[in-house]
Amino acid sequence: MASLPEGDPAPATGELPDSAAVDAQLRSMHAYVHIPFCRVRCGYCDFNTYTATELRGVTPSSFLDDLSLELELAKRVVRSAGLPERELSTVFFGGGTPTQLRAEELVNVLAKLRDGFGIAAGAEVTTEANPDNVDARYLQTLAAGGFTRVSIGMQSAVPEVLAILDRSHDRANVELAVHAAKDAGLQASVDLIYGAPGESIDQWKRSLDAALALGADHISAYSLIVEPGTKLARQIRSGELPEPNEDEQVEKYEIADAAFSAADFEWYEVSNWSRGASSRSAHNLAYWKSNDWWGFGPGAHSHIGGTRWWNVKHPATYAQKLLAGQSPALAREVLDERTRLFERVLLEVRISDGVSIDVVKALNPNASQPISQAIADGLVDAVEAIRGNLTLTLKGRLLADALVRDLLG
Ligand SMILES: C[S@@+](CC[C@H](N)C(=O)[O-])C[C@H]1O[C@@H](n2cnc3c(N)ncnc32)[C@H](O)[C@@H]1O
Ligand code: SF4
């Protein structure tokens, strides 16, 4: 499972440095809630999630009590840090599989966040969902309880690819879940993965067609990452499965972008497309624009005004810390100005609004040369660059990481 960064020790009280409150009125506040449960683990996934036998006595009910303790801690910490009162602009339940909990339980956690922080009018409230464990009643309960959006792990529409990915759902479950979400008045997003070992171009096109036929408002398409330590990594090492083909990954991205554009979806982040600006994920945009969020739950990351911290990973350790009256944070980093600017470039260059050239030049006063080169190479939009912004072209989206290295020298 992916390890966490090292960082500095985090205070047991959870308290924040004074710097966290500086200019806080200019940033919005958000909440992420990590639900660390999955019925089975998919072969490719190294998210911080646990199946029933790995939970060392933690149950959904004890976990919900632990979350409530972290919520009380968050209220105390935010109040004593001198932060202004800010209602939550978005809430996102991720995992793991949040829909392993009952819909009423998710609604109850949301109600506690509403009591504790307030939820802004028109806030986006999303949960990730596994197509296997949601139905019409489940989604109606979420909608009635204040959820506005559901993000469904579709991954592929092709049975052979779903089998290689170790997924337990089939295409019909996804259709039912998206249609039930729309009927309940929820926005629906689907996640796709491209580049599973052996996936052909034709199979990928079939998944794209199927995703577009669903009538979803938003699609995320992720290139498969072979995470060390996963069953998939072992299957590739032993020769049981072929390595993903990197050239084909590029081709699959281009095919996806063309298919989405033809269906009136626009890209707004390298891996994300939406039907118009109102269907973008406001929560993910808040991360990419370095706003403030509290990440509740084991392994969750938080960021407030340049202080970043992350919780202990195992739900049992998370419970022990909170029951002992301590913050569940494992470690933290207080970012200096330069690192904050660096992160802005890294994140903002990947969104369609782009990153301001002023920010790039604050880090690298000699950036004019690599910027001219990026325009000449067709990586960034020339007209936007004249307006002072670097926004990626299709070619630039495929080479975003290399471009950042060149820009920052
Ligand atoms: C927490 S899961 C979504 C909800 C639910 N657990 C599910 O899988 O249906 C978040 C998304 O991360 C993506 N993901 C997970 N592991 C990945 C990997 N190794 N490479 C690329 N995408 C990955 C999948 O698309 C997945 O839908
Ligand atoms: S992809 Fe989703 S369902 Fe599969 S193990 Fe990861 S978090 Fe669980």
Side-chain angles (χ1 to χ4, degrees), residues 131-254:
D132 264 348
N133 52 17
V134 289
D135 58 16
R137 196 207 60 84
Y138 193 103
L139 294 160
Q140 283 157 9
T141 306
L142 292 183
F147 282 74
T148 64
R149 188 170 177 274
V150 61
S151 170
I152 297 168
M154 171 176 181
Q155 323 310 354
S156 170
V158 178
E160 295 82 356
V161 178
L162 288 170
I164 286 172
L165 290 174
D166 230 5
R167 294 290 296 194
S168 54
H169 72 268
D170 61 24
R171 181 176 164 175
N173 301 136
V174 177
E175 278 169 24
L176 287 174
V178 172
H179 294 155
K182 304 288 290 179
D183 288 347
L186 297 166
Q187 288 214 325
S189 173
V190 291
D191 291 343
L192 292 173
I193 290 184
Y194 56 98
E199 181 193 53
S200 68
I201 297 280
D202 183 59
Q203 287 174 325
W204 175 232
K205 286 183 180 163
R206 277 160 56 200
S207 288
L208 290 170
D209 288 346
L212 286 168
L214 289 168
D217 310 278
H218 182 282
I219 303 181
S220 304
Y222 301 115
S223 168
L224 178 72
I225 300 172
V226 180
E227 301 284 1
T230 55
K231 175 177 163 196
L232 177 69
R234 285 193 294 279
Q235 288 172 310
I236 291 175
R237 211 179 36 240
S238 71
E240 183 189 333
L241 290 175
E243 295 229 17
N245 175 331
E246 269 193 36
D247 293 337
E248 263 189 26
Q249 293 295 76
V250 170
E251 192 182 343
K252 285 177 181 169
Y253 184 90
E254 289 169 343

Side-chain angles (χ1 to χ4, degrees), residues 339-358:
T339 311
R340 287 177 82 174
L341 287 174
F342 179 78
E343 296 211 338
R344 277 190 61 185
V345 175
L346 221 58
L347 295 169
E348 290 177 23
V349 82
R350 296 172 64 88
I351 55 182
S352 57
D353 291 347
V355 61
S356 156
I357 289 178
D358 291 343

Side-chain angles (χ1 to χ4, degrees), residues 295-312:
F296 295 89
H301 287 238
S302 303
H303 168 262
I304 297 188
T307 295
R308 204 162 49 189
W309 70 97
W310 46 95
N311 287 348
V312 293

Side-chain angles (χ1 to χ4, degrees), residues 37-38 40-42 44-47 49 95-97 130 155 167:
F37 306 129
C38 284
V40 287
R41 180 181 285 277
C42 309
Y44 57 87
C45 179
D46 83 337
F47 283 39
T49 185
T97 305
N130 188 313
Q155 323 310 354
R167 294 290 296 194

